[in-house]
Amino acid sequence: MATATLLETTFRDAIHSCIDEEMTRNPDVFVIGEDIGRYEGTFKVTKGLWPKYGEKRVIDTPIVEPGFTGIAIGAAMTGLRPIVEMMTMSFSILALDQIINHAAKIHYMTGGQAKVPMVVRGPGGAAKQLSAQHSHSMEGWYAHCPGLKVVAPATVEDAYGMLKAAIWDDNPVIFTENPGLYTLKGSIPDDKDFSVPFGKANILREGSDISLVGYSRMTQVNLAVADALAQEGVSAEVVDVRSLLPLDMETINHSVVKTHRAVVVYEDWRSGGFGAEIAQRISEDCFDDLDAPVLRVGGLNVPMPYARVLELECIPDVKDVLEKVRRIL
């Protein structure tokens, strides 16, 4: 069987390549958002797209999230496939009514007569000293809402393949990119038809003593934790949730039934974050197979501080996860 050639790239460039390829493939795909044209996006994901495709397909907008999100919804209903870039997913709060009350529900409220094939993507979570209003982890908010699909890739390959699937999907998709991953290096297949389906968790590292369950940047933290535990003779399995809605509990549960212990790690505020949903479902589904309570590691329940040393204290790290793991081994 022939093996696809792998291309070395970064998380950021994988997303850029995907958008570029899909805009070339399909003239109905366009990008809309703040500073995505001449400025090429805050994190430069749309670099080079404006001169290549022009202002009708790379649409710079004023600072008006409800407006350009509403424009995208209307365009999607007429058959176009908009990609909405939020300068930060924190700003998507301003467009919550458009996303929650319209994009997520139009297909159902029209009895299936209308579709909203759009993607809302952008950086979600803490970067470096962007402070309280630019560091929200919004994925749990959106995963609470039926009618949306919500994904949070942790690897370069998934960033590329899941965005392909998002652009092709006939439903509104929330695509969260942790800014701490933009410089992550990896590879993607040299195959423009490659995609990663939603609703399927991924076992990135097999183990037998404990399951480390997470998504987005916390999956990379969990991989580092697994390396540290291996030095101590502990075999940790790393489960990358990657798709929050739909959520693949079958793969997560299968891992926990094998290891009998689980720690769920997420960057969002610990109280009410999506990791709490995963932990509770594990407890319900796998109660008879657990040898210890399911524990969580989440972000501190405070507005993100500007000071770097305080910011780092708010974000789960290897030390935090190891402390929880050792409590239940």
Side-chain angles (χ1 to χ4, degrees):
M1 179 182 295
T3 302
T5 302
L6 296 179
L7 303 175
E8 299 298 317
T9 187
T10 64
F11 192 92
R12 177 198 349 254
D13 289 342
I15 294 170
H16 171 272
S17 295
C18 175
I19 296 172
D20 189 8
E21 290 168 10
E22 291 309 306
M23 291 185 74
T24 298
R25 183 203 298 261
N26 185 350
D28 290 336
V29 177
F30 71 95
V31 188
I32 185 170
E34 299 159 358
D35 285 342
I36 62 169
R38 292 174 175 84
Y39 189 68
E40 301 181 319
T42 303
F43 288 91
K44 305 304 178 188
V45 171
T46 57
K47 184 177 182 179
L49 296 182
W50 181 76
K52 184 173 182 178
Y53 296 103
E55 61 186 9
K56 290 187 177 179
R57 296 186 65 198
V58 182
I59 304 173
D60 261 330
T61 71
I63 303 174
V64 56
E65 281 78 7
F68 63 72
T69 303
I71 289 171
I73 293 170
M77 291 176 67
T78 67
L80 301 180
R81 290 187 175 271
I83 302 170
V84 177
E85 175 171 309
M86 294 291 173
M87 188 174 286
T88 158
M89 293 301 283
S90 302
F91 297 170
S92 71
I93 294 171
L94 295 163
L96 274 181
D97 180 61
Q98 293 291 350
I99 297 171
I100 301 294
N101 265 336
H102 300 284
K105 297 173 181 172
I106 284 171
H107 180 73
Y108 299 92
M109 294 177 69
T110 61
Q113 295 182 74
K115 298 183 292 187
V116 185
M118 64 181 284
V119 181
V120 178
R121 52 151 294 270
K128 287 185 180 179
Q129 295 184 271
L130 294 182
S131 195
Q133 295 174 321
H134 302 71
S135 303
H136 288 296
S137 296
M138 296 294 299
E139 64 277 355
W141 295 34
Y142 291 120
H144 179 66
C145 178
L148 299 174
K149 295 184 178 180
V150 182
V151 297
T155 67
V156 172
E157 182 179 86
D158 280 356
Y160 178 79
M162 297 188 87
L163 186 55
K164 287 274 185 179
I167 295 171
W168 298 345
D169 203 292
D170 282 339
N171 300 282
V173 179
I174 307 298
F175 190 93
T176 297
E177 306 153 11
N178 191 294
L181 294 175
Y182 278 137
T183 58
L184 178 72
K185 295 181 179 178
S187 59
I188 58 176
D190 185 15
D191 177 3
K192 293 181 174 54
D193 295 323
F194 172 79
S195 68
V196 175
F198 300 157
K200 183 62 180 174
N202 193 20
I203 305 296
L204 288 183
R205 176 174 177 143
E206 293 197 359
S208 56
D209 296 327
I210 189 168
S211 297
L212 304 175
V213 183
Y215 56 85
S216 191
R217 177 162 54 168
M218 290 302 109
T219 292
Q220 297 297 332
V221 171
N222 284 342
L223 288 170
V225 171
D227 287 340
L229 290 171
Q231 298 297 316
E232 304 173 12
V234 176
S235 174
E237 182 150 296
V238 177
V239 184
D240 182 13
V241 174
R242 63 182 178 177
S243 172
L244 282 62
L245 186 63
L247 176 64
D248 176 16
M249 283 306 302
E250 182 178 355
T251 298
I252 297 170
N253 289 343
H254 181 77
S255 174
V256 176
V257 167
K258 181 174 69 171
T259 65
H260 307 290
R261 294 175 176 82
V263 173
V264 182
V265 188
Y266 53 108
E267 185 174 318
D268 193 5
W269 292 313
R270 183 176 184 276
S271 178
F274 194 74
E277 173 72 18
I278 297 173
Q280 177 61 25
R281 290 207 200 181
I282 293 172
S283 297
E284 291 177 1
D285 297 344
C286 307
F287 182 79
D288 291 336
D289 294 285
L290 288 169
D291 287 343
V294 180
L295 298 184
R296 292 177 287 146
V297 182
L300 295 187
N301 292 329
V302 297
M304 189 63 70
Y306 174 79
R308 183 59 175 163
V309 65
L310 295 179
E311 182 185 56
L312 290 174
E313 285 296 316
C314 294
I315 305 169
D317 60 14
V318 171
K319 174 177 60 66
D320 298 326
V321 181
L322 282 173
E323 189 272 331
K324 286 294 176 71
V325 168
R326 286 168 179 147
R327 281 177 55 182
I328 58 173
L329 280 178

